Structure formats: C-alpha cells, structure tokens
Amino acid sequence: MSNIFKRRLQALGYLEWDKVNINDVQHFRKVTLWLEDQKIRQYDIQDRKELRDIKNESWSKAFAKYCNDVKCPVLNNTVDRLEWLIGYAIWLEAENNIEEYSQNVKEIKLKMKQEAIVPHLKSKNPLDNLNFDSNEFKNGIYSVAKLLRIPRHPNHLITLKACSKLVQRRLNSECLRNPNSKIIRGKPFPVMNCDPGFQLKKTAVENAAKILALLYIQDIRNLQTKINEVIVQVQNITANPKTDTKLGKVGK
C-alpha cells in the first residue's frame, strides 16, 4: 500500500493504518467496512450486513453496489475506488467538523504570519537569531538612525533600510579612504523655490510633489549613467578585436 494511502488512513484515525496491505483481500474489505461504519455511513446499520460479511464470495458484488450508491465516479479498478472512498471520507470528516478545522486553519495562518514577521533562522551567526520585532531591536535601530541623522519612520524596518543605504553609499571603504571625494560641495539647490511645472492648491502637497519630481529625475540620471557605462563596455569589446594569425582572419 502506498504511503499516501497510509497517511490518509492515519489522518482518519484507522488504528492499524501502518499494517494495511492493499493487496490482501481481507485488509481491503476491512478498510472499506471501517470507512462505511465510522466515516461515510451511507447505509443504515442493518443495511450493512453484506459489507460486514467480508469472507463471503459475493462480497465483490456488494462492494460494487456500495460504490454505485455513494456515487463513486471510478469504474472497474477496485484500488482506485478505495482511494476515492478514503478521499470522500476525509471530505465528510472535514465537513462535519468545519468549525474545528476552520479554527485550526486560522491558527496555522496566524502562526505562518508571525513566523514571516519574525524569522526563525537556524544559524551560528548571532545576527540571524535576532528577534526583528523586539523593542530592544527597534530601539537599537532608532539609536543608529539618530547618529546618522536619519528621520525616524514608524516602521523600524524602513528606518533600518534607510540606514543601510546611507552606510553603503557614504561609509563604505572607498569613502573612508577618500572622504573628500564623496562630500557634496557647492551651493544648496533651492528645492522649494523651483518651478515644477504644475500648481497644487495645498502648499504641503505641492512641496511633496516637487521632491518626488526631483527624485524621479535623479533615478533617470542614474539609469542614463548605467546605460552609458554599458555602451562604453560594449565599445571596448567591439573596438579591440583579437587577431588570430593562425586562422588568417581577424575576430574574437
């Protein structure tokens, strides 16, 4: 008997689920009778007489009639019919205990959500074992943000992301070796005095729109810089082909 059969019987509460041999006729009939008695209950108790007589030569006819009465869509193959009956019993079990199963599903979803918020990683690295939602962790992030002069966001993880970006861009090894190369010099740009090309009724909303417009322009410039770098790399490759004199031709 396949493992999936045994796992389903175990879930249904069949005591000898691990000893069932689907190729044994008596085992097959005992499982069928148990499903009808305990889970499916298609017949009244007195009408299960033919199914109970598992040693009777005509049991197969009783089984065929039973499958027809429960509207089993599987034809001929007895093993597939039993598999369908087990699945049908599981469905009935869930339907009869819908409140219990619904509660279990809610608890599982809540547990999964909590685990998604607070990852539990098995690692020797102490950083991987931190509780990212603890007050101690939050206070640590906000302390670092204060040192870096980064505004505090209600979501501590967003504040952490901002700190990470600043450290990567301004406190990397290259910047520490030559800090003057990364210090922004010159006259500050009057962001709030620029004309964005549109007017809004509320000053606060208009100022926010100006900042978003400038950030968009910065993203476009960064993209153009990356495009230029790719073009230069391609030109270096195509403008400097390798010559193989053995082949008598020029090419890479």
Side-chain angles (χ1 to χ4, degrees), residues 137 159 165 226 234-235:
F137 185 77
T159 305
K165 285 186 176 181
K226 293 179 180 178
V234 173
Q235 288 177 341

Side-chain angles (χ1 to χ4, degrees), residues 5 21 114 145 154 161 183 210 246 251:
F5 269 58
N21 180 7
Q114 291 174 343
K161 187 175 181 180
I183 296 177
K210 290 178 181 179
K246 295 180 181 180

Side-chain angles (χ1 to χ4, degrees), residues 224-235:
Q224 184 62 55
T225 299
K226 293 179 180 178
I227 292 173
N228 292 339
E229 291 175 352
V230 172
I231 292 174
V232 171
Q233 293 294 330
V234 173
Q235 288 177 341

Side-chain angles (χ1 to χ4, degrees), residues 53-111:
D53 193 2
I54 59 176
K55 295 183 179 181
N56 194 315
E57 294 181 357
S58 62
W59 189 92
S60 298
K61 293 181 180 180
F63 177 71
K65 181 180 182 301
Y66 176 68
C67 290
N68 184 59
D69 290 341
V70 295
K71 295 181 173 55
C72 174
V74 181
L75 302 176
N76 300 325
N77 192 311
T78 55
V79 175
D80 291 344
R81 281 183 168 185
L82 180 59
E83 182 178 8
W84 184 89
L85 290 173
I86 294 174
Y88 182 49
I90 292 174
W91 181 81
L92 291 174
E93 183 79 1
E95 187 179 52
N96 293 334
N97 299 277
I98 188 169
E99 294 184 1
E100 178 183 349
Y101 283 102
S102 297
Q103 183 62 30
N104 290 339
V105 170
K106 289 180 181 179
E107 292 176 357
I108 291 172
K109 287 184 177 180
L110 179 61
K111 184 177 180 181

Side-chain angles (χ1 to χ4, degrees), residues 175-237:
C175 293
L176 294 177
R177 285 195 301 268
N178 188 13
N180 292 328
S181 63
K182 297 296 180 179
I183 296 177
I184 300 176
R185 302 180 184 280
K187 186 178 180 180
F189 183 76
V191 177
M192 297 306 171
N193 296 331
C194 68
D195 184 9
F198 53 81
Q199 291 184 348
L200 300 174
K201 294 182 180 180
K202 294 185 178 180
T203 304
V205 177
E206 184 172 339
N207 290 338
K210 290 178 181 179
I211 294 173
L212 290 174
L214 291 173
L215 290 173
Y216 174 73
I217 293 173
Q218 183 186 36
D219 289 341
I220 295 297
R221 286 180 176 176
N222 291 336
L223 177 61
Q224 184 62 55
T225 299
K226 293 179 180 178
I227 292 173
N228 292 339
E229 291 175 352
V230 172
I231 292 174
V232 171
Q233 293 294 330
V234 173
Q235 288 177 341
N236 289 337
I237 295 173

